Amino acid sequence: MTNISTTESLLESLNAYAKHFETPNTREDLLAIASSILTFQQKQGGGISLDAEQIQQVVNQFDVKAVVNSVVDSTTERLVQEVNQWNLSLENQVLNTLNAYVNQFKPDGLSNLSDTILSIIPLVESSLLGKPQTESLVQQVISKFDLQSALGQVIGSESLAIAEKLAKLLEFGNIEALLKKNVLAMDSIVEGITESLVNNELEKILGSKIVTIDVDSKDFMIKQVTLKLNIMQSSPSPSKSDEEIAKQLDDEIEIFKKERQKLLGTRDT
């Protein structure tokens, strides 16, 4: 599949997702949906990667007014159904792990809740998520997290096991901080930060210090740091025309939502 056919397919999938599951509130919502579609396809062994700029270009082509009357083929409908189920499952797994961690280990503070959630994601999902999807996932979990509820609920064994891995990894916080500092100091980073690059830097740190990290913790730390650093990396700045398109898209989404609400209200009467 070429990049052109991939972008066309992604646009069709965006239309299908918006039609069946979620009316996007903002351009960021669209970027998150697009990112999750691409990652899911790669998880299944299909599709090719698009960079952040290409994904933005697809989102720029999204026409919210065309969603309602769009025709969705069975293959695309099945794809977005599976993506939606995966998104919901991933959100629940992360939230359940966060609740289990708070319940069992009662950390002194959760001042950096976003960072804790980012540390959990690689423990429940082996694929490296795109930046828009990750940011959306973090915000969804934060919006649903309730400290008192977490402290009082019954914790399942699976969530508890993952929370124990998280607690063990957090004990190596100094090594993680040094690893991130060393990677960011490298001059050779041009695009995304890879797990291979992070692994090489971690090997250097472990080789120069008397520290023992088991294989599983080491592998998870590599995934965590790769994810966190890729989130930190700034997205390409949109051109003026892209900014204008984004503004127009946000305005059209808002108009579409109001018109849809009026239609639903008319049907109810």
Side-chain angles (χ1 to χ4, degrees), residues 122-134:
L123 296 174
V124 301
E125 175 54 56
S126 59
S127 298
L128 182 62
L129 306 185
K131 179 176 179 178
Q133 182 185 9
T134 303

Side-chain angles (χ1 to χ4, degrees), residues 157-224:
S157 58
E158 183 176 349
S159 297
L160 177 58
I162 301 173
E164 289 173 344
K165 291 181 181 179
L166 173 65
K168 185 176 182 180
L169 276 165
L170 293 179
E171 294 177 359
F172 301 113
N174 290 339
I175 295 178
E176 179 185 330
L178 179 59
L179 178 57
K180 288 191 286 189
K181 178 181 178 182
N182 288 359
V183 173
L184 290 174
M186 298 175 65
D187 295 328
S188 57
I189 299 175
V190 178
E191 296 181 352
I193 294 169
T194 65
E195 290 183 11
S196 175
L197 185 151
V198 174
N199 178 54
N200 290 339
E201 288 304 304
L202 180 56
E203 290 289 356
K204 294 177 185 178
I205 293 173
L206 297 179
S208 62
K209 293 183 177 292
I210 306 175
V211 180
T212 302
I213 300 182
D214 61 276
V215 174
D216 283 345
S217 295
K218 176 185 170 185
D219 289 343
F220 284 130
M221 181 180 289
I222 291 168
K223 291 180 180 297
Q224 287 173 331

Side-chain angles (χ1 to χ4, degrees), residues 207-248:
S208 62
K209 293 183 177 292
I210 306 175
V211 180
T212 302
I213 300 182
D214 61 276
V215 174
D216 283 345
S217 295
K218 176 185 170 185
D219 289 343
F220 284 130
M221 181 180 289
I222 291 168
K223 291 180 180 297
Q224 287 173 331
V225 170
T226 303
L227 177 66
K228 291 178 182 181
L229 292 184
N230 277 311
I231 294 300
M232 289 172 61
Q233 293 286 91
S234 59
S235 300
S237 301
S239 64
K240 184 175 180 181
S241 59
D242 280 346
E243 290 178 343
E244 292 170 348
I245 292 172
K247 171 81 166 54
Q248 180 182 359

Side-chain angles (χ1 to χ4, degrees), residues 98 101-102 106-114 116 145 147 150 170:
L98 178 60
Y101 171 67
V102 171
K106 298 177 176 58
D108 292 336
L110 287 170
S111 57
N112 197 344
L113 189 56
S114 296
T116 302
F145 174 70
L147 179 58
L170 293 179

Side-chain angles (χ1 to χ4, degrees), residues 12-199:
E12 291 175 2
S13 298
L14 270 179
N15 287 334
Y17 199 102
K19 181 174 183 178
H20 288 288
F21 301 111
E22 180 180 344
T23 303
N25 293 311
T26 63
R27 175 183 171 84
E28 285 68 31
D29 289 342
L30 284 171
L31 290 169
I33 296 169
S35 176
S36 65
I37 291 170
L38 289 172
T39 302
F40 182 82
Q41 289 178 311
Q42 289 163 16
K43 275 171 61 69
Q44 304 303 308
I48 59 177
S49 177
L50 297 178
D51 61 31
E53 186 174 348
Q54 290 171 316
I55 295 175
Q56 288 188 31
Q57 289 171 356
V58 172
V59 168
N60 288 346
Q61 298 175 53
F62 178 82
D63 182 0
V64 69
K65 291 177 289 188
V67 169
V68 174
N69 297 321
S70 62
V71 178
V72 181
D73 63 71
S74 59
T75 300
T76 303
E77 183 159 356
R78 184 169 59 253
L79 169 64
V80 297
Q81 290 273 2
E82 292 173 345
V83 171
N84 183 61
Q85 291 172 4
W86 175 54
N87 281 335
L88 293 176
S89 174
L90 187 54
E91 182 183 309
N92 286 333
Q93 285 179 289
V94 174
L95 181 59
N96 289 341
T97 301
L98 178 60
N99 287 336
Y101 171 67
V102 171
N103 182 288
Q104 294 296 307
F105 297 95
K106 298 177 176 58
D108 292 336
L110 287 170
S111 57
N112 197 344
L113 189 56
S114 296
D115 193 71
T116 302
I117 295 170
L118 287 173
S119 293
I120 292 172
I121 292 173
L123 296 174
V124 301
E125 175 54 56
S126 59
S127 298
L128 182 62
L129 306 185
K131 179 176 179 178
Q133 182 185 9
T134 303
E135 292 176 335
S136 176
L137 175 58
V138 168
Q139 291 306 312
Q140 287 294 325
V141 173
I142 289 176
S143 70
K144 294 184 177 181
F145 174 70
D146 179 84
L147 179 58
Q148 294 305 315
S149 175
L151 291 172
Q153 71 179 230
V154 177
I155 302 300
S157 58
E158 183 176 349
S159 297
L160 177 58
I162 301 173
E164 289 173 344
K165 291 181 181 179
L166 173 65
K168 185 176 182 180
L169 276 165
L170 293 179
E171 294 177 359
F172 301 113
N174 290 339
I175 295 178
E176 179 185 330
L178 179 59
L179 178 57
K180 288 191 286 189
K181 178 181 178 182
N182 288 359
V183 173
L184 290 174
M186 298 175 65
D187 295 328
S188 57
I189 299 175
V190 178
E191 296 181 352
I193 294 169
T194 65
E195 290 183 11
S196 175
L197 185 151
V198 174
N199 178 54

